[in-house]
Amino acid sequence: MAWALVIATALVAAFTPPSAATGRADTEQSNVDLVNPFIGTSGRSDTEYGGMIPSTAPPFAMTRWSPMTRQNYVSRTPYHYDDTKISGFIGTHQPAIWMGDSGYVVGMPGVGPVKTSPDDRALPFSHADEHAAPDRYSVRMQAGSGRTLKTEMTGTSRVGLLRTTYPEGVDTNFVLQATRSGVTGNVHVDPATREITGYNPDRQDSNLGPFKASNFKGYFVARFDTGFDSYGTATGGTLHEGQGDRTDGDLSAYVRFPSGTRTVQVRIATSFISLQQARANLAAEAPDDRSFEQIAETTRAQWNEKLNRVCLQGATADQQAIFYTSMYHALQYPSENSEQGRYYSAYDDEVHSGVSYTGYSLWDTFRAENAFLTLFAPERIDDMVTSMLHDYQEGGWLPMWKNITETNIMVGTNADSVIAEDIAKGFTGFDRNLAYEAVRKDAMTPPDKDTELAYFDRQQGTPVEARAGLTYYEQNGWVAADRTAESASRTLDYAYEDWAVAQVAKAVGKTDDAEMFLRRSANYKKLYNPATGFMQARNLDGSWAIGGWTEGDRWVYALDVLHDVPGLMDLMGGQEKFAAWLDDYFAGGHNNHTNEPSHHVAYLYDDAGQPWKTQEAVRRIAAANYANRTDGLSGNEDCGQMSAWYVLSSLGIYPVNPASATYAVGSPFFDRAWVQLPNAPRPLTISAPGAATNQYVKSLSLNGQGINHPVLSHADLLRGGTLRFAMSDTPQGWGASSTPPQEADAH
């Protein structure tokens, strides 16, 4: 059994972590079995919930495979737990519910007459007949007359493998859908090779951003282990019997199998480069001589390598499910975009040599997801930064929200923070000088038509947005509300990003630039209105304006100064008044954990000299917003940010200012967590006996050395050893100080 499960069920008193080499407690079961992929698949409305799917694929997979209960598009994912029919199994590249899919492909087995339209081919199912795990998925669908049709699914990064067991005595078929209405693609059926090949050029976010990527296609090669009895193509619901090649819209191909066929396997390889590359991906990742079980076990091993790096003691069964599911979610983003050393770039519509990732939801993920990755997937960091630098070279700017290419969604150039954080944490495997060139352009070069366009959310026909309103920010120190949309949020973002750019400048020896950007990072003060005690948007002439926020309000954004909390406290009247302000904020119900700007706020009590209130608030937020249920995420996952918050907070840390390479201290949820960080020379044991019922920190030490401030450095954690919390059931004075633990150049 998995180590955490052993602890929970057998109440083992001794803490004996698994081998540091394998990260496994035994060979039969592991933490992958504690993941509940259905968390976040339903919620209070069709959009305001986790937006997750029970996908099967390795960490950071290019293509994720999911049952399909509805047609996905922007603001709709392909699976929702409340649906009752399955219409296919989709290889999807949709990174989040608010984004569109790109180059997807759908397969669906069927019995009796061939049905190609999603509504006609859909089959009922019960959740009692459904099983989901990171390494495989299975479901029994009702095929009429008491018969069931079973489909199992596993996947590699670029290949999905479906195994279908058909009922006896029925005609059997398989439909492969390439495109939907209004999208022209291609399918080709080759009975000699038992293949269906083709492409789907659909990119549902193609209306956003300046890069139209006219050559974009999602290519696929579907290879069956069973010969075809007959075949054809279909447009809409119309069958074209015996036609093996077609270029059209709303397009599918279908095959029928010989009488008596019971089990059929199909391997569906995907590529953004070409059909030849899809075949190469198939040969490399899921060749014909590798069985379903072998491929599933390889995917399971990849998840085990990550999930078994953390073992928990004192966690309930629900907490274990939430924790390991959170790791499963956070380890999916960003996703691989390169294939065997090459990648298609939608920025310049060409194929390049090198590495590439996509799904950069940076406005969300710079806050905690990237910090999570630096701890648990550091081997990916250099390539992820290099990928962003490729985007800069091919498209002229670092990504803001990259979904295959730039979509111009959200505000700010938060790649600046990610790069600064990675440098501060000692990553060296990317071109730092090129990185500085890129972040400096973000900070110094207004986007095209900056004084002509308002750059509203999802405004079409715009150039790369970058720091919209930068012209006015450079002129006055704030983005003008009567010129640029979401101006107040932008101003606060730009001030923080200036601080981050200053850190990159220092790292490459640009000291004069660093000083200039540090001065500019104080611009947040120009939005503070002492008459109201809030940050407030300003017009070009300096007058106060209304609104100007991005997915938040004046309460949340009053606290959006990640890099200079002492300076913010000074504006608001000092520590005591700041702490009282936080009390009013929480008492008034202003903390909205469903959206990211509030994610750091609970930790600000650390700076206000009342860390026991951070400890209270973090526990309260976790209990209210995370659960082991299908509706167990209060807000959209947003490419790992929601889950990264939970993982880090449950371990007792959170990166309020990610680019500082420090973590605020909160309250660990578990008696003990054994963590084998990939780059650490020895495991880190986080010990907090009695944490389940004692949420307050009485003292803290690292390897026997007392820690008096509620802050830890990344380097502290990487050294490993024992981080020992003494816990209490009543508020304690530990960590209270009149000098908040901030970096000297933060203010």
Side-chain angles (χ1 to χ4, degrees):
M1 299 177 74
W3 174 251
L5 194 58
V6 171
I7 292 297
T9 59
L11 299 178
V12 175
F15 187 78
T16 307
S19 163
T22 65
R24 298 193 62 160
D26 58 51
T27 58
E28 294 182 2
Q29 224 176 4
S30 65
N31 292 337
V32 71
D33 299 302
L34 302 176
V35 173
N36 177 3
F38 294 116
I39 291 177
T41 60
S42 74
R44 57 185 177 178
S45 74
D46 274 354
T47 58
E48 294 304 315
Y49 70 104
M52 296 307 293
I53 57 177
S55 62
T56 293
F60 310 106
M62 186 177 90
T63 305
R64 294 184 293 149
W65 294 88
S66 171
M68 189 171 188
T69 64
R70 52 178 63 185
Q71 298 273 40
N72 62 322
Y73 46 79
V74 178
S75 301
R76 197 180 199 192
T77 53
Y79 180 94
H80 194 286
Y81 194 83
D82 294 345
D83 295 338
T84 60
K85 292 184 177 181
I86 289 175
S87 62
F89 299 89
I90 185 171
T92 179
H93 307 113
Q94 184 176 17
I97 189 171
W98 288 111
M99 307 304 292
D101 209 338
S102 303
Y104 49 87
V105 59
V106 181
M108 181 64 181
V111 299
V114 172
K115 300 174 182 178
T116 60
S117 72
D119 289 343
D120 291 342
R121 72 186 186 227
L123 297 176
F125 77 106
S126 166
H127 292 302
D129 297 322
E130 183 183 34
H131 172 76
D135 57 317
R136 65 174 69 204
Y137 171 91
S138 67
V139 64
R140 291 184 181 273
M141 297 170 285
Q142 300 162 25
S145 303
R147 302 185 179 98
T148 60
L149 188 157
K150 181 181 180 181
T151 293
E152 302 163 273
M153 182 168 55
T154 188
T156 69
S157 182
R158 299 162 188 85
V159 183
L161 178 58
L162 277 66
R163 179 168 65 189
T164 296
T165 302
Y166 293 91
E168 293 185 15
V170 297
D171 294 332
T172 56
N173 65 70
F174 193 95
V175 172
L176 193 138
Q177 181 182 355
T179 65
R180 302 177 189 170
S181 178
V183 179
T184 298
N186 172 265
V187 291
H188 177 79
V189 185
D190 187 344
T193 59
R194 303 192 304 274
E195 288 183 349
I196 301 175
T197 60
Y199 62 80
N200 174 12
D202 193 12
R203 193 165 62 82
Q204 294 173 346
D205 291 325
S206 61
N207 60 321
L208 301 175
F211 305 103
K212 296 311 173 187
S214 59
N215 289 321
F216 171 80
K217 294 180 178 68
Y219 297 92
F220 57 84
V221 173
R223 182 178 298 162
F224 296 81
D225 69 349
T226 303
F228 308 153
D229 185 61
S230 60
Y231 60 86
T233 58
T235 50
T238 302
L239 305 186
H240 308 287
E241 188 69 30
Q243 294 187 14
D245 189 271
R246 194 171 191 90
T247 301
D248 213 328
D250 202 358
L251 182 64
S252 300
Y254 61 88
V255 297
R256 300 186 186 90
F257 304 112
S259 177
T261 296
R262 291 296 310 281
T263 302
V264 173
Q265 290 191 161
V266 55
R267 301 161 196 261
I268 307 176
T270 62
S271 173
F272 295 132
I273 295 175
S274 66
L275 285 177
Q276 292 77 10
Q277 185 62 53
R279 283 200 177 89
N281 294 341
L282 181 59
E285 298 183 12
D288 294 345
D289 61 358
R290 295 197 67 208
S291 69
F292 182 99
E293 285 74 17
Q294 288 173 320
I295 292 171
E297 183 57 33
T298 297
T299 299
R300 177 184 175 86
Q302 291 174 281
W303 281 110
N304 280 339
E305 194 280 327
K306 291 301 182 189
L307 301 186
N308 283 354
R309 287 184 174 275
V310 184
C311 296
L312 306 178
Q313 179 178 352
T316 67
D318 283 343
Q319 285 178 320
Q320 292 170 41
I322 297 166
F323 184 91
Y324 291 109
T325 304
S326 294
M327 289 192 71
Y328 158 74
H329 286 163
L331 287 165
Q332 294 178 20
Y333 311 100
S335 58
E336 295 174 347
N337 194 53
S338 44
E339 309 168 50
Q340 298 182 347
R342 297 191 301 156
Y343 64 92
Y344 166 77
S345 170
Y347 290 92
D348 63 4
D349 221 15
E350 300 287 344
V351 175
H352 299 265
S353 295
V355 65
S356 182
Y357 285 82
T358 188
Y360 279 100
S361 178
L362 291 161
W363 184 84
D364 304 294
T365 60
F366 88 90
R367 304 170 195 273
E369 165 71 359
N370 191 65
F372 169 89
L373 295 177
T374 64
L375 288 168
F376 292 101
E379 73 282 356
R380 299 270 180 167
I381 296 298
D382 288 329
D383 280 351
M384 288 176 176
V385 176
T386 297
S387 172
M388 293 194 293
L389 297 179
H390 287 158
D391 299 339
Y392 166 69
Q393 290 175 306
E394 292 145 20
W397 300 88
L398 290 167
M400 292 178 58
W401 215 127
K402 178 188 179 183
N403 186 19
I404 304 297
T405 188
E406 184 56 64
T407 62
N408 276 352
I409 292 174
M410 307 312 294
V411 300
T413 53
N414 296 296
D416 305 341
S417 174
V418 169
I419 289 172
E421 177 181 7
D422 295 341
I423 288 175
K425 291 180 175 178
F427 292 93
T428 60
F430 54 88
D431 188 334
R432 290 191 173 196
N433 289 317
L434 181 62
Y436 180 63
E437 176 186 312
V439 299
R440 192 181 193 282
K441 181 177 180 181
D442 281 346
M444 296 298 293
T445 305
D448 293 344
K449 300 184 178 180
D450 191 35
T451 60
E452 302 172 36
L453 299 174
Y455 284 99
F456 293 105
D457 183 38
R458 294 180 184 260
Q459 183 174 345
Q460 298 181 29
T462 60
V464 173
E465 182 174 318
R467 293 199 193 182
L470 182 62
T471 302
Y472 310 113
Y473 179 84
E474 290 182 314
Q475 175 181 325
N476 291 333
W478 65 84
V479 179
D482 51 351
R483 296 293 188 272
T484 306
E486 303 168 278
S487 65
S489 293
R490 293 183 194 274
T491 299
L492 297 176
D493 277 356
Y494 298 174
Y496 169 68
E497 289 150 9
D498 281 343
W499 188 90
V501 173
Q503 311 314 304
V504 183
K506 286 194 294 184
V508 298
K510 304 291 186 180
T511 54
D512 290 345
D513 279 5
E515 291 176 3
M516 179 267 291
F517 286 120
L518 283 175
R519 288 194 298 272
R520 274 190 13 177
S521 74
N523 279 340
Y524 73 88
K525 297 177 182 179
K526 297 182 179 181
L527 288 196
Y528 185 72
N529 185 344
T532 64
F534 288 91
M535 299 290 178
Q536 190 168 344
R538 300 182 74 169
N539 293 317
L540 185 60
D541 65 5
S543 60
W544 298 112
I546 302 300
W549 306 117
T550 300
E551 298 188 7
D553 61 17
R554 66 174 189 162
W555 280 91
V556 171
Y557 277 101
L559 304 168
D560 191 31
V561 182
L562 309 181
H563 60 294
D564 188 10
V565 179
L568 177 62
M569 286 194 294
D570 287 344
L571 285 179
M572 300 177 80
Q575 269 192 333
E576 289 187 9
K577 289 186 177 179
F578 184 69
W581 200 99
L582 287 172
D583 292 343
D584 291 341
Y585 168 87
F586 282 105
H590 300 293
N591 196 66
N592 179 15
H593 195 74
T594 66
N595 218 340
E596 281 69 23
S598 69
H599 278 198
H600 70 288
V601 174
Y603 289 90
L604 296 181
Y605 279 116
D606 279 356
D607 297 292
Q610 299 181 9
W612 62 90
K613 291 184 179 177
T614 282
Q615 297 149 25
E616 291 173 348
V618 168
R619 294 289 192 99
R620 188 170 61 246
I621 291 166
N625 292 277
Y626 300 85
N628 184 23
R629 304 188 306 263
T630 62
D631 64 347
L633 279 175
S634 62
N636 299 153
E637 175 61 53
D638 286 330
C639 292
Q641 172 59 28
M642 282 286 288
S643 287
W645 186 95
Y646 184 88
V647 170
L648 297 180
S649 292
S650 71
L651 297 177
I653 59 174
Y654 188 79
V656 172
N657 175 3
S660 71
T662 62
Y663 301 87
V665 175
S667 174
F669 299 177
F670 318 118
D671 289 349
R672 191 171 297 188
W674 179 90
V675 185
Q676 178 62 73
L677 299 172
N679 279 356
R682 56 179 174 169
L684 174 68
T685 299
I686 301 173
S687 174
T693 55
N694 300 283
Q695 65 182 348
Y696 299 104
V697 178
K698 184 161 54 177
S699 66
L700 178 63
S701 64
L702 179 61
N703 297 323
Q705 297 295 314
I707 296 173
N708 297 318
H709 291 307
V711 63
L712 293 164
S713 73
H714 188 72
D716 289 336
L717 301 181
L718 288 190
R719 280 192 284 271
T722 300
L723 184 63
R724 191 179 306 279
F725 289 81
M727 307 299 290
S728 173
D729 62 352
T730 58
Q732 300 290 307
W734 172 83
S737 170
S738 60
T739 306
Q742 290 287 329
E743 294 205 337
D745 63 358
H747 50 95

